[in-house]
Amino acid sequence: MKGTERLNYLRGATCSALSTGREMNLHEKSWCLCSIFCLVHLFVYVNAQMSQGSTLDITQQSFAIEPADRTAIQGDTIVLPCRVLNKKGTLQWTRDGFGLGSERSLAGFPRYTMVGSDEEGDYSLQITNVSLEDDAVFQCQVGASDRVKGIRSRSADFTVYVPPEPPRIVPNDFLETTAGMTVQLTCESNGGKPPAELAWLDGDGVVVTQGIEFTTQLLGDNKRANAALKWTFKASRKHDGKTCSCRSENPAIKQPMVATIKLTVKYPPEVTLTANRKKIMEFDDVQFTCDAVANPGDVTYKWYRNNQLVQQDHATTFRIPKVTRQLNRQTVSCEVGNKIGTTKSTYTLNIHYGPVFKSSLENIAADLNKEVRLVCPVDSNPPPKITWTFEKSTHVVGTDIVLVIPQVRPDRTGKYTCTASVPGLPELSSDSFVYIKGPPVIKGPDVQYGIEGQKVKVECLITSVPEPSRVVWMKRSQVVDIDNTEGYEIVTEHLPNGLKNLLIIHRAEETDFGDYNCSAWNALGHDSMLISVRRQKNLPMLIILAGVIGGIVLIVSVTIVIILCLRRKPDMKGDNFVSESKAKQSDSASSGDSDLKVEIRTASSLSNNEHERSWEETSDTTRVQDHPDIYKYTMDYAEPKFPPKLETQNNNGYVPYVDYSTDYNPSAVRLNSSRDSGLYDSSPQLLSELGHPLDPNFRTAYANPYMRTSQANLPPDHVLYGSTRGSSPTPQVLPSLPPNHYITSQQLPSQLKPGTLATHV
C-alpha cells in the first residue's frame, strides 16, 4: 500500500473511533483534526525514508550500443547492433512496432537472428538475404522488472535498395525516318528502388539536355517504381547513321545499364559551294565547286548566274573566265536535288579592282565668298582611301569623297586633286578647278605667223567664268565673215576656264595678213585683243636650205683642218727660232693685206643691186627685231641687212678689200696679227670670246668669200657683226687698218707677190 493510501486509512479509522462513542464537541473536533495532521506528516516522513533506502540498493538497466540507420542492397546480410548494461527485463526487437520475439533464434523469422552473448549483453539483430520486406524501422526494447524500469533504443531506419530492370527503348532498337520529321524515343527502366536514373546520349556520346521529359510510377508495394525518359527531336542529317543510347543508373547496381538504337535518316542534299580563290582579282579565272551530301545519294546538279539557269548536268564545277568588275556582287548558285528534295547554295562574287572614276570631276565656277563642294565619284573594291590636295598648299586638305570649301576667295581658287588609292592596286587621281566668276580676259601671243597659200590658224585664248556668250573677230573694223566661200572658219575649243577660239584662214593670201581684233563677252563684262598675223617662209624650203648650208659648213671645216695639218711644220729647237718664225710670218701677212686681195667693182655692183631687190621682196617676213623668241625656229628669222660700203674714191674696177677672217674669227685680241694668220691660224675656241654665239649660216658664208651669194652686202672692214638668235646684229668697231688697203690696176704688176690671192671677173 502506498503512503497516501495508508495515511487516509489511518485518518479515517481514528475519526470513526472517536465518533462512535458519542458526539464530539468543538474542542474535541479540533484536537482530532490536529492529531490526524500530525500523523500524516509522520507517515510521509517515514515513507520517504524507506523509499530512499530501497533506491540506493537497486541498479537500473541501460543501452551501451543502440542501432543506427542503415542501407543495404537486396540479398545482402547486415547486422543491427544492440548492447545492454545491467539487463533486468526481457529484451526483444520490433519491426515497424511489431515485436519479433525474445528468443535469440526468433522463431517465425528464419532470416532474423539475435547474435552475441548474454554475458556481454550483446543482442544485435542479424538479417540475412535482405529483401524488400526488411525495408522498415527497427527498435531494440528491454522490459521492466522488480524496482527496474524498462528501456527502448532509438528507432533505426533500414533502407533496402532494389536494382531496376534493364532499360529498354520504345518502340524498338532501330528507327528509319526522314529529315524534318519529329521523332520521340522513350527509354524505360522498371521496378527500381529508388527509381532508376535515366539519361539519353546522342551519337557522339554527349548527354542530351534538350527535349527531355522524365516520369516515374510507384508500384503496388509503395516501395519500388518504374522510370521513363522521353526524348523529342527533329530528325536531320546529323542523326543519320548514328547510334543513340539510353543509360540507367541506381544505387543497387554497380555499373550503369545501357540500351541502344540505330537511326537512319533520309534527307535532301546539303550543299557547300566554294571558289578556287579566296581573293578574286579582276581578270582572274574563277572556278566554283559544288559539294553535296545526300541520302539517297543519287543527285542532279543545276547551275545559275543571277538566278538564270546556265548549266544543267552532273558536273560539280562551273568556270567563269576573266571576271571583270561588272560581275562584282553578282551571284552564282548551285542547286542539287534527290528524291527527298532540293537544296540551293549561292555564292556572291566579291571582285577586287582598282579605283575608277564613275564620272569626271566637275570644274566649279563660284561667286566670291560662297561655299563650294567638290565631289570625287570613285568606285573600287574594297572602298578606296580618298586624299584631296591643293596646288597652293603642301598639306592634305580633305579625306572624304566630298570636299567642302566654306568660302571661295582668290587664294582658294585653282586646281584641287583627288587621289584614290587601294592597297596593292595602282592609285588614281583627277583634277577639279575652282574659279571665281568674272569678265573675260584674253591672253596669248599678240603676233602670230602663217605661210601664204596654206592654212593659217589665228588663236584667241579666252579666260572667262562663266564661258563667253559671244566671240567676234574683226579686221580693219569689219566683222570677219565666216562664210566658207570667203575662206574663213571659226573653231571653238572649250577649256575648263574659258575658250580657245581659232580663226582658220584657208589658202591665205597676201591680203589676209595683218591685224585682227578678237573680242569676247559674258554676263560680267567684255575684253578684246589685237593680234598681228605675219607671213613666214615656207618651212620645208628653210629645212632644205639649212641642210645645204650645214653640209657646206661641214665640207669647208674638213678642208680647213686638212690644210692646217698640211701647213704645220715640225717644231724647231730653241725659243728664238720660234719667235723669228712667227715674226716673219706676221710681216709677210701684213705686206699681203693691202696688195694681193681684190675684187672687180663691176661684179660687186651687180651683186649689190640684186641683193637690194631681193631684200625689198622679203622685207615683210623679216622678224629679227620684232620678237626675240628663243624657241622660234632658225628659219623664222631672216639674215640681217648690213649697210653697204660707201665708196669714197675711184678704184678702177676693183672692189675694196675686205678682211673675211674677222667675220669668221672675230676675236679682238688677234687684231694686231695679219689677216692671213687670222684666217688660218685662229683657234676655234676663240669664236665665243666676244660673248655672242654666231649663227652658223652667217659664219660660214662670211668666212669663205667663195660661198657668198650675190644677195649679200659686205660690211666695211673696220666693222664686225655678231649675230645673236632673235636679236639684231651688234656692230663691233675695230681699230683702223692702214690707209693703203685698196689695189689699183697700175700697182698690180709690181706688187703682186707669191702666195697672195686676188679675185677678178
Side-chain angles (χ1 to χ4, degrees):
M1 187 180 292
K2 295 183 180 180
T4 304
E5 294 175 350
R6 292 173 182 175
L7 181 60
N8 292 331
Y9 176 74
L10 180 60
R11 181 180 59 83
T14 304
C15 291
S16 64
L18 293 176
S19 61
T20 55
R22 56 181 178 87
E23 185 178 355
M24 294 184 291
N25 55 24
L26 181 61
H27 179 73
E28 290 175 346
K29 290 181 180 180
S30 298
W31 181 86
C32 182
L33 292 175
C34 181
S35 299
I36 294 172
F37 180 77
C38 291
L39 290 174
V40 170
H41 279 277
L42 178 63
F43 178 78
V44 171
Y45 174 75
V46 172
N47 192 26
Q49 291 296 324
M50 292 177 66
S51 299
Q52 184 178 4
S54 64
T55 303
L56 294 176
D57 295 337
I58 300 174
T59 303
Q60 294 294 320
Q61 57 190 359
S62 62
F63 288 104
I65 299 176
E66 297 181 60
D69 295 342
R70 287 290 302 275
T71 60
I73 299 174
Q74 188 175 18
D76 290 346
T77 298
I78 61 101
V79 175
L80 297 176
C82 181
R83 182 170 290 188
V84 182
L85 298 177
N86 302 320
K87 176 179 177 294
K88 301 299 182 180
T90 302
L91 184 144
Q92 70 170 352
W93 282 88
T94 63
R95 184 181 69 183
D96 289 339
F98 180 79
L100 300 178
S102 58
E103 302 294 332
R104 285 188 176 269
S105 60
L106 297 178
F109 299 95
R111 296 183 294 107
Y112 292 0
T113 305
M114 284 191 290
V115 298
S117 63
D118 293 343
E119 292 79 8
E120 295 178 351
D122 187 1
Y123 297 90
S124 297
L125 178 64
Q126 176 179 292
I127 305 175
T128 60
N129 193 19
V130 172
S131 68
L132 186 60
E133 65 178 354
D134 300 329
D135 188 89
V137 177
F138 289 83
Q139 189 179 55
C140 180
Q141 299 177 357
V142 181
S145 65
D146 187 19
R147 294 182 294 177
V148 177
K149 297 184 296 182
I151 57 175
R152 294 182 179 185
S153 70
R154 69 171 66 95
S155 297
D157 291 331
F158 181 51
T159 302
V160 178
Y161 292 152
V162 179
E165 296 176 1
R168 66 187 183 93
I169 298 175
V170 179
N172 49 46
D173 58 356
F174 178 80
L175 176 66
E176 182 176 344
T177 186
T178 303
M181 301 295 294
T182 300
V183 178
Q184 287 185 349
L185 298 178
T186 303
C187 177
E188 296 179 349
S189 183
N190 299 328
K193 183 182 181 301
E197 297 178 2
L198 301 176
W200 276 105
L201 286 78
D202 62 13
D204 298 324
V206 179
V207 176
V208 178
T209 59
Q210 301 294 328
I212 297 300
E213 181 181 357
F214 180 73
T215 60
T216 60
Q217 182 181 4
L218 192 63
L219 297 181
D221 56 15
N222 292 326
K223 294 184 181 295
R224 294 175 300 156
N226 296 335
L229 184 64
K230 184 187 294 184
W231 176 23
T232 304
F233 63 94
K234 186 171 288 187
S236 65
R237 175 209 166 185
K238 69 178 182 179
H239 300 117
D240 182 46
K242 295 297 181 68
T243 299
C244 300
S245 58
C246 174
R247 184 178 63 193
S248 174
E249 295 180 287
N250 179 279
I253 55 178
K254 296 180 179 180
Q255 295 292 335
M257 295 180 291
V258 177
T260 61
I261 182 172
K262 186 173 182 180
L263 303 179
T264 298
V265 180
K266 294 181 179 180
Y267 55 92
E270 293 190 2
V271 180
T272 303
L273 182 60
T274 58
N276 62 335
R277 299 175 182 273
K278 292 183 178 180
K279 183 177 181 181
I280 302 176
M281 304 298 295
E282 191 174 21
F283 307 119
D284 281 349
D285 295 334
V286 183
Q287 178 171 299
F288 299 92
T289 302
C290 188
D291 295 324
V293 179
N295 184 19
D298 186 14
V299 297
T300 59
Y301 293 84
K302 293 181 181 180
W303 290 93
Y304 297 85
R305 277 183 59 180
N306 288 341
N307 296 323
Q308 294 183 356
L309 182 65
V310 294
Q311 184 174 324
Q312 182 175 0
D313 51 23
H314 294 282
T316 60
T317 59
F318 178 71
R319 184 172 178 271
I320 302 179
K322 306 297 181 184
V323 295
T324 61
R325 65 186 65 196
Q326 285 74 22
L327 300 180
N328 189 45
R329 311 312 301 173
Q330 291 191 5
T331 59
V332 174
S333 302
C334 172
E335 184 180 86
V336 186
N338 65 358
K339 294 181 180 179
I340 307 301
T342 59
T343 305
K344 190 175 184 180
S345 179
T346 301
Y347 187 101
T348 302
L349 289 170
N350 184 22
I351 301 173
H352 292 248
Y353 55 89
V356 61
F357 288 106
K358 294 183 288 187
S359 61
S360 59
L361 271 68
E362 296 182 354
N363 298 321
I364 305 298
D367 294 324
L368 187 64
N369 295 326
K370 294 296 183 180
E371 180 183 284
V372 168
R373 291 176 174 264
L374 303 180
V375 181
C376 187
V378 181
D379 175 38
S380 71
N381 188 29
K385 176 183 177 182
I386 303 296
T387 302
W388 285 95
T389 57
F390 180 41
E391 64 178 348
K392 298 179 183 179
S393 174
T394 58
H395 302 287
V396 174
V397 296
T399 56
D400 295 329
I401 293 179
V402 179
L403 176 65
V404 179
I405 305 174
Q407 291 182 336
V408 176
R409 300 192 300 266
D411 60 337
R412 294 181 180 176
T413 60
K415 181 175 69 176
Y416 289 82
T417 302
C418 173
T419 302
S421 60
V422 174
L425 296 172
E427 68 178 20
L428 185 68
S429 62
S430 183
D431 300 330
S432 178
F433 291 85
V434 176
Y435 306 102
I436 296 179
K437 295 179 180 179
V441 176
I442 300 178
K443 299 180 181 179
D446 56 354
V447 177
Q448 301 181 31
Y449 298 90
I451 299 175
E452 185 175 352
Q454 296 186 11
K455 182 187 294 185
V456 177
K457 295 182 180 180
V458 186
E459 177 182 298
C460 181
L461 187 62
I462 306 169
T463 300
S464 176
V465 178
E467 192 175 271
S469 58
R470 181 186 178 195
V471 178
V472 174
W473 287 88
M474 301 184 67
K475 181 182 180 183
R476 299 187 185 93
S477 301
Q478 297 294 326
V479 177
V480 175
D481 187 2
I482 60 173
D483 187 0
N484 290 332
T485 59
E486 299 295 331
Y488 292 103
E489 181 183 357
I490 293 179
V491 177
T492 300
E493 178 181 347
H494 295 272
L495 300 177
N497 60 336
L499 293 175
K500 179 190 288 186
N501 197 280
L502 295 177
L503 174 63
I504 300 177
I505 307 173
H506 297 280
R507 297 180 301 277
E509 299 177 357
E510 182 178 359
T511 57
D512 293 325
F513 296 95
D515 294 335
Y516 289 82
N517 182 285
C518 176
S519 300
W521 289 264
N522 70 4
L524 301 178
H526 161 265
D527 192 20
S528 63
M529 181 178 180
L530 190 64
I531 301 175
S532 177
V533 181
R534 301 182 183 181
R535 286 179 297 177
Q536 69 177 14
K537 294 182 179 179
N538 195 328
L539 184 60
M541 293 299 298
L542 292 176
I543 294 175
I544 295 173
L545 181 60
V548 173
I549 295 176
I552 295 174
V553 171
L554 179 61
I555 295 173
V556 172
S557 300
V558 173
T559 304
I560 292 175
V561 171
I562 294 173
I563 294 174
L564 292 176
C565 292
L566 294 177
R567 289 171 59 96
R568 182 172 297 174
K569 297 180 179 180
D571 296 334
M572 304 300 293
K573 295 182 179 180
D575 296 335
N576 295 333
F577 181 80
V578 175
S579 301
E580 292 176 1
S581 175
K582 290 183 177 180
K584 292 179 180 180
Q585 185 178 358
S586 178
D587 294 340
S588 175
S590 298
S591 62
D593 287 341
S594 59
D595 298 332
L596 300 179
K597 295 183 179 180
V598 296
E599 291 183 0
I600 298 177
R601 179 177 301 273
T602 305
S604 176
S605 301
L606 293 175
S607 176
N608 290 338
N609 294 334
E610 293 176 359
H611 175 70
E612 290 173 0
R613 288 193 300 270
S614 176
W615 182 262
E616 292 174 356
E617 292 176 357
T618 60
S619 61
D620 291 341
T621 60
T622 302
R623 296 180 291 104
V624 174
Q625 296 180 357
D626 291 335
H627 288 277
D629 189 351
I630 61 173
Y631 298 102
K632 298 292 184 179
Y633 288 102
T634 303
M635 64 285 298
D636 293 343
Y637 304 97
E639 294 181 356
K641 182 176 180 180
F642 296 98
K645 172 69 178 178
L646 299 177
E647 299 295 333
T648 58
Q649 59 180 348
N650 186 6
N651 295 318
N652 296 324
Y654 290 88
V655 297
Y657 165 76
V658 179
D659 188 359
Y660 300 108
S661 63
T662 58
D663 294 339
Y664 180 79
N665 189 18
S667 176
V669 297
R670 302 299 300 271
L671 293 177
N672 293 332
S673 59
S674 65
R675 292 179 175 84
D676 291 338
S677 62
L679 178 62
Y680 298 106
D681 296 340
S682 298
S683 174
Q685 286 79 0
L686 297 176
L687 294 176
S688 62
E689 289 178 359
L690 291 177
H692 299 281
L694 303 180
D695 193 327
N697 295 331
F698 291 5
R699 272 186 263 144
T700 303
Y702 292 146
N704 190 344
Y706 294 100
M707 295 177 60
R708 293 178 179 270
T709 64
S710 61
Q711 297 178 357
N713 289 327
L714 302 179
D717 57 346
H718 62 281
V719 178
L720 176 65
Y721 285 84
S723 175
T724 302
R725 184 172 182 175
S727 62
S728 301
T730 303
Q732 302 291 332
V733 180
L734 304 179
S736 300
L737 298 176
N740 187 14
H741 58 279
Y742 292 96
I743 302 176
T744 62
S745 59
Q746 291 82 358
Q747 297 172 339
L748 184 60
S750 61
Q751 295 181 357
L752 189 60
K753 298 179 182 180
T756 59
L757 176 64
T759 59
H760 182 271
V761 178

